[in-house]
Amino acid sequence: MTPDSLKELLNAVKEGSFTVDEALVRLRELPFQDLGCAQVDHHRELRLGVPEMIFGEGKSAAQIVRIVTAMADNGSNVLVSRLSIDKARKVMAAFPMAIYHDDARCLTLEQRTQERRGRGTILVISAGTSDIPVAAEALVTARFLGNEAASLYDVGVAGIHRLLARREQLASAGVIIVVAGMEGALPSVVGGLVDRPIIAVPTSVGYGASFGGIAALLGMLNSCASGVTVVNIDNGFGAACAASLINRS
Amino acid sequence: MTPDSLKELLNAVKEGSFTVDEALVRLRELPFQDLGCAQVDHHRELRLGVPEMIFGEGKSAAQIVRIVTAMADNGSNVLVSRLSIDKARKVMAAFPMAIYHDDARCLTLEQRTQERRGRGTILVISAGTSDIPVAAEALVTARFLGNEAASLYDVGVAGIHRLLARREQLASAGVIIVVAGMEGALPSVVGGLVDRPIIAVPTSVGYGASFGGIAALLGMLNSCASGVTVVNIDNGFGAACAASLINRS
Amino acid sequence: MTPDSLKELLNAVKEGSFTVDEALVRLRELPFQDLGCAQVDHHRELRLGVPEMIFGEGKSAAQIVRIVTAMADNGSNVLVSRLSIDKARKVMAAFPMAIYHDDARCLTLEQRTQERRGRGTILVISAGTSDIPVAAEALVTARFLGNEAASLYDVGVAGIHRLLARREQLASAGVIIVVAGMEGALPSVVGGLVDRPIIAVPTSVGYGASFGGIAALLGMLNSCASGVTVVNIDNGFGAACAASLINRS
Amino acid sequence: MTPDSLKELLNAVKEGSFTVDEALVRLRELPFQDLGCAQVDHHRELRLGVPEMIFGEGKSAAQIVRIVTAMADNGSNVLVSRLSIDKARKVMAAFPMAIYHDDARCLTLEQRTQERRGRGTILVISAGTSDIPVAAEALVTARFLGNEAASLYDVGVAGIHRLLARREQLASAGVIIVVAGMEGALPSVVGGLVDRPIIAVPTSVGYGASFGGIAALLGMLNSCASGVTVVNIDNGFGAACAASLINRS
Amino acid sequence: MTPDSLKELLNAVKEGSFTVDEALVRLRELPFQDLGCAQVDHHRELRLGVPEMIFGEGKSAAQIVRIVTAMADNGSNVLVSRLSIDKARKVMAAFPMAIYHDDARCLTLEQRTQERRGRGTILVISAGTSDIPVAAEALVTARFLGNEAASLYDVGVAGIHRLLARREQLASAGVIIVVAGMEGALPSVVGGLVDRPIIAVPTSVGYGASFGGIAALLGMLNSCASGVTVVNIDNGFGAACAASLINRS
Amino acid sequence: MTPDSLKELLNAVKEGSFTVDEALVRLRELPFQDLGCAQVDHHRELRLGVPEMIFGEGKSAAQIVRIVTAMADNGSNVLVSRLSIDKARKVMAAFPMAIYHDDARCLTLEQRTQERRGRGTILVISAGTSDIPVAAEALVTARFLGNEAASLYDVGVAGIHRLLARREQLASAGVIIVVAGMEGALPSVVGGLVDRPIIAVPTSVGYGASFGGIAALLGMLNSCASGVTVVNIDNGFGAACAASLINRS
Amino acid sequence: MTPDSLKELLNAVKEGSFTVDEALVRLRELPFQDLGCAQVDHHRELRLGVPEMIFGEGKSAAQIVRIVTAMADNGSNVLVSRLSIDKARKVMAAFPMAIYHDDARCLTLEQRTQERRGRGTILVISAGTSDIPVAAEALVTARFLGNEAASLYDVGVAGIHRLLARREQLASAGVIIVVAGMEGALPSVVGGLVDRPIIAVPTSVGYGASFGGIAALLGMLNSCASGVTVVNIDNGFGAACAASLINRS
Amino acid sequence: MTPDSLKELLNAVKEGSFTVDEALVRLRELPFQDLGCAQVDHHRELRLGVPEMIFGEGKSAAQIVRIVTAMADNGSNVLVSRLSIDKARKVMAAFPMAIYHDDARCLTLEQRTQERRGRGTILVISAGTSDIPVAAEALVTARFLGNEAASLYDVGVAGIHRLLARREQLASAGVIIVVAGMEGALPSVVGGLVDRPIIAVPTSVGYGASFGGIAALLGMLNSCASGVTVVNIDNGFGAACAASLINRS
């Protein structure tokens, strides 16, 4: 839309050949529609389909309480990820209804029942027991976002029979989140077994040449299975957000 | 299936309460069912939902012709990716029906009409004109896999109005593949605009500190938009495979 | 501007309490004003203060001619950077007025005299003779953007007296672009001598542990002189764009 | 000064048309003129236009007090950056007039009113709330150096409308400092919106593949917006120094 | 085994020419035979020849006790590696028979005498005294796995005569594990002296450009001695597992 | 041997209680015994158990012929690795008996029958067809060193059933060399299936974030299977040398 | 010495034309002469010209006391580097004569006066005050090794006049050790001023893209001054050892 | 020269006790004395003790001829390093007296006999035959700079006896340059054998995880031998410059 065509539109409104409502339809997709809501973006759910979520790391308990309050006043459900138990206790003092998910280091406050919106089940699998915190973060997030979700832990590739025994469960999932550290080989094997969208989450589990998850990240990016996509190291939260969008698409 | 249940199954076959064919159905999901077909895995489409595809780089034209022949004899459609024009000419001499997609450096041989299987449209967008080869690879692959697909090129973040003007097109897509080099910022902006699954493809476009696509890759992995997943640098093919699985899930 | 206030504005236009021109003023800052001009963003100069510029690397001569034509038809001056002599010859066949700057690997087409807009002189200095191509790219770009520009080459820190002898010239510049490869130490020394804004450009000149310019880049980012900012490796063009903005600010 | 002009000067001294003292004045601009001032470089403000500043990290409170004392005795204003609250308390015991800026981890001691010397406003914007400490360091430093300065926080690219709504504020700034972690995409978008000099500051905010700010740093160095320059990770101080030089140039 | 041969087998069972047990023998090599034993893989020793071993890092004492209990109930010997003294004390409270190897940070529980199965001696040598913890982990593991093992510490290449004096001991070993940090040169020298299989273990001993063991790792991977293989940084455990397989092969 | 014991030995020789020959036996194990044979180390086979081998890359055909001649005159068998077909032709002109192994880019000259010295079979397996050159180098080298060797190609983890079908072949090997590029996951899976020593060879096969084999290398170093050791990227030769030592140990 | 010449020597001893002592002189340069003294290599000073030195990091106070005791009993002077004040106190309890150098984190025990052996002065200069601990380690070590040594701190390149004023001092040094963090540019400038051997020591001083000293290390390795050599990050000790060898050569 | 001595000099000129020319001589040592002679720094030899040397890489033959001419006219000896044979031929057409050193890729033009200035011999040793070009560059440079120099090639650590046999030669050298690629272990071993200053030169010889010389570089920087200093990868030239300074110090 050029300045000229905008001028034409405004003239048309003036002359009545275009109603105000019709002009509004043409104009309301503009970016500024959310302007009034400042930094706390209450329209985000409408626009992006995700409720309010806060990254807890690097924020003080007081800051988190303040933000959760603003969101809760709006009637939203709220998820706080990467929240230490210490801070969580302080947040829960202010919001007794909130639930802290210990293994996932997440806090959820559900003020209204989250309707189930996803078509299938999001299956979260982990290679080892040390990967469980990241997997649990994905699990809690997926459920918070209105999805059916299940988990399957400790099925890494060095004992491949453990995985093969669950082929049926894998094949029946809507989306599969595969969480693995060390060499990060599990997504390739899973991707070769079933035709489901697979989101790979490298974890920082390992030592030495795992370089805090780089080895797993590179392994997943180079997966020889052609349907695998990858998120940041330890990003169970992001994997669940993506899985949720896929599950509802 | 445990050893016990396997024993029961075998007993049932012996006693006739289960026919051989019924047992076969139960057993054919086992890993060894594809054994007879050696390396060319003709059951892959049944198992993984993707037809035959060959990575052309590092194979001679003669090798490619030999593999395509084996696949074509089986009645399959075939895609060869990362194929130079020189090798493509030799393959097309053997398969006159094949089509070479110049901008995508892909060859397709479609022996039977690919039925449309995806629900929505896969939209491939690129940040710059130099990213088009990777985007085109994604586009050709997405269509080869039975999806409706469209493209939108040169809508990088340094001229954000170009992208904002296409919000509607973005919002109506089933899955969005975002291809970008240099700083790889486009997926974050797109992910903040619409609630569609987004697959980010970093490209090796750039120089100096782009380090052959590492800058874009890291940018995408660290995207502040929470529904973005990432594939390998320049991997338009893999992005389309993942998008196709999502589109059909 | 909220939807409501937009509705009010439109109603005001309809009722005549606001003229179309007044509404246009309110609306023309919106991002969509450039919509009609597609990918070739002719309003960029108005918005960003820079004329048309094309990154020549990775585009064919034919593509470049097509883009230059679109821009030239609009009356713009055009700069093509990172253009090989071979491609330049083809572009100059189409635009005999264009000038190819051999040392800078840039082509300029000046259809109208560029008015001088910068306040001071942009001084481009290089550490060694091998850094000259990058320095020349900065020089050509700075002049193309309407700045007075001068150069001073081969004044690296291993012969510090060469630099000290030019203190006066350094101090009288408006902005200084410092181009250096290898250890990239020159910006720190210059930044310690004069109180001018300094833009450091690392070059890929060097071998071994210069890692294609990484050593120089890191050196510049860690400069102990506190007024130094840095651009990408070999990015003389970007340094000149930034210097030009500074010179006119 | 060339050998010839030096010869002339010496001849003039010999012939008495120039006194020894006059010759000395002409010669004292040579590098050795600051010899007497040892390590605490009191002439730095004259030479470089910046008052006394101390990098607090890695120095003991006692050392800092000693250096501040030497500077304060000279009548200078002093800024100590990267100073923990613990050390700050000890410094403030010695200098009760000093002010500690909590969010910026900076201490300032202003003994004389800093005259306003910059032409325009330095606008500091941050992508997220976690980037605020670095942004605040830039803000405090910019003001300490005699500039008008303003801030705008939490306008990252994943909610692009928040930024677009402030275009006017962006366009009216003299220099813009853009502080961002994670993928570091904000400078590119800002650089595409307005024609102001932009200094990008990557922060170490993020986790996993952000690699302590490398992802943001690379993103900014590869910015597709052509007027962006970059400083070291978390270097709000250096960005403000550069912005101040630009604002006064 | 092809589908056809499977069908034949089933037909044979049906017709009685093959008993159910005979079929079971043929089928029990399938991966699912371990299904019933969940994650604790009691058949691993049969399949892989190694008894139960637990990676202690990142598991709580309670978790470790639970896993050791499950394994011990099965009559197995158990090794817990990378176990801090604090956690070890809690595990030993539950298993008084267990032994904690202080220098190796390993705990072993031997319920039945481990029979000697290796042909030769596994010799563990270290370059410096700081490498001893990693070497000790290898030593304890090698013995736990049923091998004769010996050690030789502080024979680094900067005092080559110390190594040369032990040529005979080196030559008489079955397998040699060489543990070294810093430049990791020892395996090359040892590999040039004797014709034994050598497993190189880089350690994180060093500082600065040792980069936590990367220097040693790269040195070992690039060894000019042609019989050297490498494991992860600080992975004494893995080296001993590999050495044990070699010693028994 | 201490100075004292040396003195005793010399006294014994002087007094005749020890013949010169007996003393020589005692002394010939000293490092200097090979002195006379200069750089071409003909005693290497005795000391290290490997015949003469030349790294062909970066040497001219003339240089290689000269070195092979020196070795051949000594009656040795010779292997030249990493030899281009062009250079190989020139070497074969001089040594018509030599054989060039095209897929492995190796030349062998066998002047005397290599006796079989290894106990078992060295099995070389590759993940993909592009890994075959590296695998073939390992195969040729293993046989040259007197081992029974076999190969199994294209059994990567994305089609895990192809591997599972060959479990028996894997289990019966003496040593297994696993060659894989991209994510390098195959050694972990193989290491979880059988209790054989496994040498993993990462290859430079891949693109983008494979970083020329780094992804595969890191994957293998971080293998969750505990008997895997690793050699340099593309180092099929070194893997075979190590496997040969293991096979004969 | 070839086997033949050894045989001749032995024959000469046998026949008496060579005494045992004469043969011993010929043979005692062999590597095994230090055999008896195990790991504490008391002959190292004779062989390498350096007295006993211990790397204190990663050793317990008890271990250090044990090693120092062994060395001191031999009459040696001893230096312990990288020793924390806590451990130093325990060592000094055992050796009251020992001196702890606080700024250098070194302990020295001088039992006999170290004779001055170096020809010239070793001058240690540092770029900033934060580099002083590394510089002090070099200073203490240089003196311990019998050299005249002096220091010059805080003469970094951003205030180049401070350095230029000391040209004479620089030119009169025998060897110069240049210690610098951040961009590490000082050695290049010094190397361009004087013709003395320069040893550059990068320090881990800095933040962000200094990457713990990598920026300084790379800067120094790429120095455009052609007489600069480099040691590991923070390795003041090693620089002094090298300087001492040079000073005595 | 202090301000006082400058004042005295000027007074002397005024009073006639010093002619203008004499004063000029005294003053031309000031940094600006080279102004007239532009970039070609003819005083460099006086100041730094090294004659004219040109880095040939990245300069055209015409440029090199021009620079050599300027230097030769001044009577200097000239060395051009990193010069391809093609360019060398063109330079030699202009300077028939020049000599091209094929293995070192260097050209020397000696117009006057270089006096021997070094005290001892510079010994250049290389680990492998592929390292010879870098070693030869060091050898030619060392001789050009007026040193006695010798070489010893192919004495890498995997055949340690080859090195041990030359201990005497090592011990009698004034300075030792050790050139090695791959794992770069040779300097550590040499540094443990003799008390000579050692300059280590990593080479880019190797493949895979040698990363173009990084492995060797890191190995050398982490050398456990305490008198080793390091130069850039493949920098034989720089090693010789440093060795020459040491040899004359």
Side-chain angles (χ1 to χ4, degrees), chain A residues 157-158 160 164 182-183 185 188-189 192-193 207 209-211 214-215 218-219 221-225, chain F residues 157-158 160 164 182-183 185 188-189 192-193 207 209-211 214-215 218-219 221-225:
Chain A
V157 299
I160 200 74
L164 296 172
M182 302 181 77
E183 81 268 61
S188 293
V189 175
L193 290 176
Y207 62 93
S210 90
F211 299 133
I214 294 180
L218 293 186
L221 286 169
N222 285 285
S223 174
C224 53
Chain F
V157 300
I160 200 76
L164 297 172
M182 302 182 78
E183 80 269 60
S188 293
V189 175
L193 290 176
Y207 61 94
S210 88
F211 299 134
I214 295 180
L218 295 184
L221 286 169
N222 286 283
S223 175
C224 51

Side-chain angles (χ1 to χ4, degrees), chain A residues 15-246:
Chain A
E15 291 158 18
S17 67
F18 230 100
T19 69
V20 164
D21 279 349
E22 283 167 337
L24 207 55
V25 167
R26 295 282 297 274
L27 289 167
R28 82 171 163 204
E29 288 305 306
L30 295 179
F32 54 68
Q33 65 190 6
D34 309 65
L35 273 194
C37 40
Q39 259 60 299
V40 178
D41 182 1
H42 294 304
H43 288 209
R44 188 158 156 259
E45 186 163 10
L46 291 177
R47 201 173 71 247
L48 298 183
V50 288
E52 297 297 356
M53 300 187 287
I54 302 168
F55 187 77
E57 206 168 270
K59 297 200 178 72
S60 69
Q63 285 178 310
I64 294 169
V65 167
R66 202 159 55 232
I67 301 175
V68 173
T69 302
M71 290 169 166
D73 287 355
N74 210 37
S76 294
N77 290 347
V78 182
L79 169 77
V80 189
S81 67
R82 297 204 166 215
L83 189 70
S84 68
I85 179 70
D86 291 342
K87 289 192 215 164
R89 286 209 180 95
K90 290 174 189 158
V91 177
M92 294 172 82
F95 297 92
M97 268 179 58
I99 296 169
Y100 184 67
H101 306 263
D102 204 58
D103 53 349
R105 297 201 311 138
C106 290
L107 176 145
T108 51
L109 173 66
E110 305 215 22
Q111 303 196 105
R112 49 187 171 73
T113 307
Q114 177 68 43
E115 56 171 330
R116 285 286 163 260
R117 293 189 297 182
R119 285 190 311 273
T121 296
I122 294 176
L123 177 64
V124 181
I125 75 179
S126 86
T129 54
S130 313
D131 302 314
I132 290 179
V134 176
E137 183 185 280
L139 198 66
V140 168
T141 305
R143 285 173 179 153
F144 176 77
L145 293 171
N147 302 280
E148 204 74 46
S151 67
L152 180 54
Y153 295 153
D154 195 20
V155 290
V157 299
I160 200 74
H161 58 290
R162 298 179 298 188
L163 184 70
L164 296 172
R166 268 67 170 237
R167 274 180 88 159
E168 208 156 322
Q169 188 177 3
L170 296 173
S172 69
V175 189
I176 304 175
I177 293 173
V178 184
V179 180
M182 302 181 77
E183 81 268 61
L186 190 53
S188 293
V189 175
V190 175
L193 290 176
V194 297
D195 66 340
R196 303 285 82 203
I198 291 169
I199 299 171
V201 189
T203 72
S204 52
V205 168
Y207 62 93
S210 90
F211 299 133
I214 294 180
L217 172 62
L218 293 186
M220 290 168 174
L221 286 169
N222 285 285
S223 174
C224 53
S226 57
V228 173
T229 61
V230 186
V231 297
N232 195 0
I233 298 165
D234 289 338
N235 191 5
F237 170 80
C241 291
S244 184
L245 286 177
I246 294 170

Side-chain angles (χ1 to χ4, degrees), chain G residues 175-200:
Chain G
V175 188
I176 304 176
I177 293 174
V178 185
V179 180
M182 302 181 77
E183 79 269 60
L186 189 54
S188 293
V189 175
V190 175
L193 290 176
V194 296
D195 65 340
R196 303 283 84 202
I198 291 169
I199 299 171

Side-chain angles (χ1 to χ4, degrees), chain B residues 23 94 107 113 134 138 140 153 168 191 193 237 239 241:
Chain B
L107 176 145
T113 308
V134 176
V140 167
Y153 296 152
E168 209 156 321
L193 290 176
F237 170 79
C241 292

Side-chain angles (χ1 to χ4, degrees), chain F residues 13-239:
Chain F
V13 169
K14 191 184 175 187
E15 293 156 20
S17 67
F18 230 102
T19 69
V20 164
D21 279 350
E22 282 166 338
L24 207 54
V25 166
R26 292 285 295 277
L27 288 167
R28 82 169 163 205
E29 286 306 305
L30 294 179
F32 54 69
Q33 66 190 7
D34 311 66
L35 274 194
C37 41
Q39 262 57 303
V40 179
D41 181 2
H42 295 303
H43 288 209
R44 189 157 156 257
E45 187 162 10
L46 291 177
R47 199 173 72 248
L48 298 182
V50 288
E52 297 298 353
M53 301 187 286
I54 302 168
F55 187 76
E57 207 168 89
K59 296 201 179 72
S60 69
Q63 286 177 310
I64 294 169
V65 167
R66 202 158 54 231
I67 302 175
V68 173
T69 302
M71 291 169 166
D73 286 357
N74 211 37
S76 293
N77 290 348
V78 183
L79 169 77
V80 189
S81 66
R82 298 206 164 213
L83 188 70
S84 67
I85 179 70
D86 290 344
K87 289 193 215 163
R89 285 207 182 96
K90 291 175 190 159
V91 177
M92 294 171 82
F95 296 91
M97 268 179 60
I99 297 171
Y100 185 66
H101 307 261
D102 203 57
D103 52 350
R105 298 201 308 139
C106 291
L107 176 144
T108 50
L109 173 66
E110 305 215 24
Q111 302 196 105
R112 48 185 171 74
T113 306
Q114 177 70 41
E115 56 173 328
R116 284 289 161 259
R117 292 188 295 182
R119 285 189 311 275
T121 296
I122 294 177
L123 177 63
V124 182
I125 75 179
S126 86
T129 54
S130 314
D131 302 314
I132 290 179
V134 176
E137 183 184 282
L139 197 67
V140 167
T141 306
R143 286 175 178 151
F144 175 77
L145 293 171
N147 302 281
E148 202 74 47
S151 67
L152 180 53
Y153 296 153
D154 195 20
V155 291
V157 300
I160 200 76
H161 58 289
R162 298 178 297 189
L163 185 69
L164 297 172
R166 267 70 170 234
R167 273 180 90 159
E168 209 156 321
Q169 186 177 5
L170 296 174
S172 67
V175 189
I176 304 176
I177 293 172
V178 184
V179 180
M182 302 182 78
E183 80 269 60
L186 188 54
S188 293
V189 175
V190 174
L193 290 176
V194 297
D195 66 340
R196 303 284 85 203
I198 291 170
I199 299 171
V201 190
T203 71
S204 54
V205 168
Y207 61 94
S210 88
F211 299 134
I214 295 180
L217 172 63
L218 295 184
M220 290 167 175
L221 286 169
N222 286 283
S223 175
C224 51
S226 57
V228 173
T229 60
V230 186
V231 296
N232 195 2
I233 299 165
D234 289 339
N235 190 6
F237 170 80

Side-chain angles (χ1 to χ4, degrees), chain H residues 186-217:
Chain H
L186 188 54
S188 293
V189 175
V190 175
L193 290 177
V194 295
D195 66 340
R196 302 284 84 203
I198 292 169
I199 299 171
V201 189
T203 71
S204 53
V205 167
Y207 62 93
S210 88
F211 299 134
I214 294 180
L217 172 63

Side-chain angles (χ1 to χ4, degrees), chain H residues 40-51:
Chain H
V40 179
D41 181 2
H42 293 304
H43 289 208
R44 189 158 157 258
E45 186 163 9
L46 291 177
R47 202 174 69 249
L48 297 182
V50 288

